[in-house]
């Protein structure tokens, strides 16, 4: 049994991670300030003897004794991270500093939940870990993109300077139960709009592409990276390399739900990437990981979840 800290543990990904870690027999401390996370996501874990919940903001230091740290704390959708961009940057940067300081003090292994947004609007396709990206440092998405890039810098400087055991994981689009219904991401947007019979909004002509990884696959990759040999620091892409246009996704959701929603088009937001697809060669080679859930099956499970919460 390990003592494991999960920051952002009441969020979409964090709650699934806490569930998996407890099922594996570990003692889990879930930390969240509930900006985007919800107690509802972890309510079923509250009575478990090996689960503890703490309300805390990672921009402030935390003093606990743990063996591993999964640093997931940060709003991850444009709607949420652009609501308070200064706080978003502080969460990524100050949060990383505080969690790295904790890991150094207690000699814990620490994993950073980074993002495919470090690649920006890429000129390389698919994106591999050696690509440095094409990011606007002063745009409306920069609080998240550059915050995560700076967090990666901090992780590798702590590894070089203090020999801290680090893991850096670049997460590509992930979907599944417990997504926030108003997070502005395409999967949740399309499902909620289709269930309500509302127009489905596509930005641009819908030809931009994304790759969608089901949450169970993503969490499996995250745990495998944490448990990998010390020299496997990353960064490592974790995502599903299956590539779909946004228009195709919208049509897929309408068909699965049997909705009469119509598709309407709005202007493309600033700095919205045109292509996003992970090269997962490193994950396959170093972690023996690759996604197993097909988009159709994952969407059906996600639709079932949203049916239960959307009026």
């Amino acid at each position: 049994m390990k003592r494991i800290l999960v920051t952002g543990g009441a969020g979409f990904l964090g709650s699934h991670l806490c569930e998996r870690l407890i099922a594996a027999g570990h003692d889990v401390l879930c930390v969240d300030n509930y900006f985007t996370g919800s107690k509802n996501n972890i309510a079923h874990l509250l009575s478990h003897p090996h689960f503890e919940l703490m309300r805390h903001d990672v921009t402030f230091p935390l003093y606990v004794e743990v063996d591993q740290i999964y640093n997931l704390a940060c709003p991850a959708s444009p709607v949420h991270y652009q609501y308070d961009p200064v706080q978003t940057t502080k969460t990524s940067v100050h949060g990383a500093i505080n969690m790295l300081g904790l890991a150094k003090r207690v000699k814990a292994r620490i994993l950073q939940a980074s993002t495919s947004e470090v690649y920006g609007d890429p000129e390389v396709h698919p994106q591999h870990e050696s690509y440095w990206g094409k990011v606007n440092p002063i745009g409306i998405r920069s609080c998240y993109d550059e915050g995560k890039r700076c967090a990666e810098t901090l992780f590798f400087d702590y590894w070089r300077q203090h020999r801290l055991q680090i893991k850096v994981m670049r997460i590509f689009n992930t979907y599944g139960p417990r997504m926030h219904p108003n997070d502005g991401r395409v999967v949740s947007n399309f499902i909620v709009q289709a269930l309500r019979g509302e127009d489905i909004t596509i930005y641009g002509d819908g030809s931009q592409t994304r790759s969608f990884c089901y949450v169970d696959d993503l969490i499996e990759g995250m745990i495998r990276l944490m448990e990998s040999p010390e020299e496997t620091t990353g960064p490592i892409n974790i995502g599903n390399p299956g590539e779909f246009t946004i228009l195709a996704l919208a049509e897929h959701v309408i068909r699965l739900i049997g909705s009469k929603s119509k598709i309407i088009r709005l202007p493309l937001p600033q700095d919205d990437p045109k292509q996003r697809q992970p090269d997962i060669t490193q994950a396959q080679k170093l972690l023996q990981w690759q996604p197993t859930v097909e988009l159709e099956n994952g969407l059906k499970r996600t639709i079932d979840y949203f049916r239960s919460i959307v009026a």
Side-chain angles (χ1 to χ4, degrees):
M1 178 187 287
K2 294 189 181 80
R3 296 166 299 173
I4 302 177
L5 167 63
V6 179
T7 72
F12 164 46
L13 295 181
S15 61
H16 285 276
L17 176 61
C18 288
E19 210 169 54
R20 279 288 303 275
L21 294 173
I22 287 172
H26 299 300
D27 202 50
V28 174
L29 171 59
C30 168
V31 165
D32 209 297
N33 69 349
Y34 307 122
F35 176 60
T36 57
S38 169
K39 288 181 184 176
N40 292 333
N41 289 337
I42 39 83
H44 62 295
L45 301 176
L46 291 174
S47 61
H48 198 286
H50 296 304
F51 180 78
E52 183 180 356
L53 178 62
M54 179 189 295
R55 185 178 192 127
H56 180 81
D57 188 324
V58 295
T59 61
F60 298 94
L62 180 63
Y63 301 99
V64 292
E65 302 297 322
V66 293
D67 303 306
Q68 291 182 348
I69 302 168
Y70 287 85
N71 187 36
L72 276 61
C74 190
S77 71
V79 168
H80 291 142
Y81 67 63
Q82 290 171 10
Y83 174 77
D84 188 345
V86 172
Q87 185 63 26
T88 296
T89 303
K90 287 172 70 175
T91 301
S92 284
V93 178
H94 291 191
I97 290 169
N98 287 330
M99 291 306 107
L100 287 162
L102 171 62
K104 180 187 171 193
R105 182 178 69 80
V106 300
K107 297 180 172 56
R109 177 176 286 194
I110 181 168
L111 181 145
Q112 167 68 3
S114 191
T115 171
S116 61
E117 297 301 324
V118 301
Y119 300 121
D121 189 4
E123 296 167 313
V124 170
H125 192 74
Q127 293 79 58
H128 49 79
E129 293 88 347
S130 60
Y131 175 53
W132 290 355
K134 178 193 171 193
V135 176
N136 177 1
I138 58 170
I140 59 172
R141 300 169 68 102
S142 307
C143 57
Y144 184 69
D145 302 359
E146 295 288 38
K148 289 289 191 178
R149 283 163 69 96
C150 185
E152 287 196 13
T153 301
L154 286 161
F155 266 69
F156 277 91
D157 282 338
Y158 264 79
W159 172 65
R160 283 184 286 259
Q161 189 170 336
H162 303 296
R163 304 313 302 170
L164 197 65
Q165 289 190 41
I166 67 160
K167 306 287 177 179
V168 174
M169 170 182 178
R170 290 178 177 163
I171 298 172
F172 283 69
N173 290 58
T174 306
Y175 70 100
R178 299 185 204 143
M179 292 184 83
H180 196 294
N182 300 315
D183 66 6
R185 300 188 207 189
V186 287
V187 173
S188 50
N189 261 11
F190 291 174
I191 291 174
V192 169
Q193 289 169 338
L195 285 172
R196 290 176 174 164
E198 300 169 353
D199 290 338
I200 288 185
T201 50
I202 283 180
Y203 296 94
D205 63 4
S207 63
Q208 64 271 41
T209 67
R210 296 293 184 271
S211 302
F212 302 102
C213 185
Y214 189 67
V215 61
D216 289 356
D217 284 335
L218 188 284
I219 297 302
E220 177 65 26
M222 184 179 286
I223 292 172
R224 288 194 188 196
L225 177 56
M226 177 63 97
E227 299 301 331
S228 64
E230 184 177 343
E231 62 272 15
T232 306
T233 59
I236 287 187
N237 292 336
I238 299 291
N240 193 320
E243 188 179 16
F244 298 87
T245 67
I246 297 300
L247 179 60
L249 176 71
E251 292 169 343
H252 209 42
V253 167
I254 289 171
R255 179 179 61 79
L256 289 175
I257 291 175
S259 174
K260 293 183 168 55
S261 294
K262 295 189 170 44
I263 295 172
I264 61 170
R265 290 169 171 78
L266 296 175
L268 201 63
Q270 180 186 336
D271 300 327
D272 193 57
K274 298 174 190 65
Q275 292 179 305
R276 185 73 87 230
Q277 182 189 23
D279 181 325
I280 61 168
T281 304
Q282 291 298 306
Q284 291 169 320
K285 177 182 174 184
L286 299 174
L287 309 179
Q288 289 74 56
W289 175 89
Q290 62 182 24
T292 60
V293 179
E294 296 291 336
L295 181 64
E296 176 126 352
N297 293 332
L299 284 176
K300 286 178 180 176
R301 297 178 204 175
T302 309
I303 289 166
D304 287 343
Y305 167 76
F306 277 107
R307 280 191 201 277
S308 70
I309 66 166
V310 173

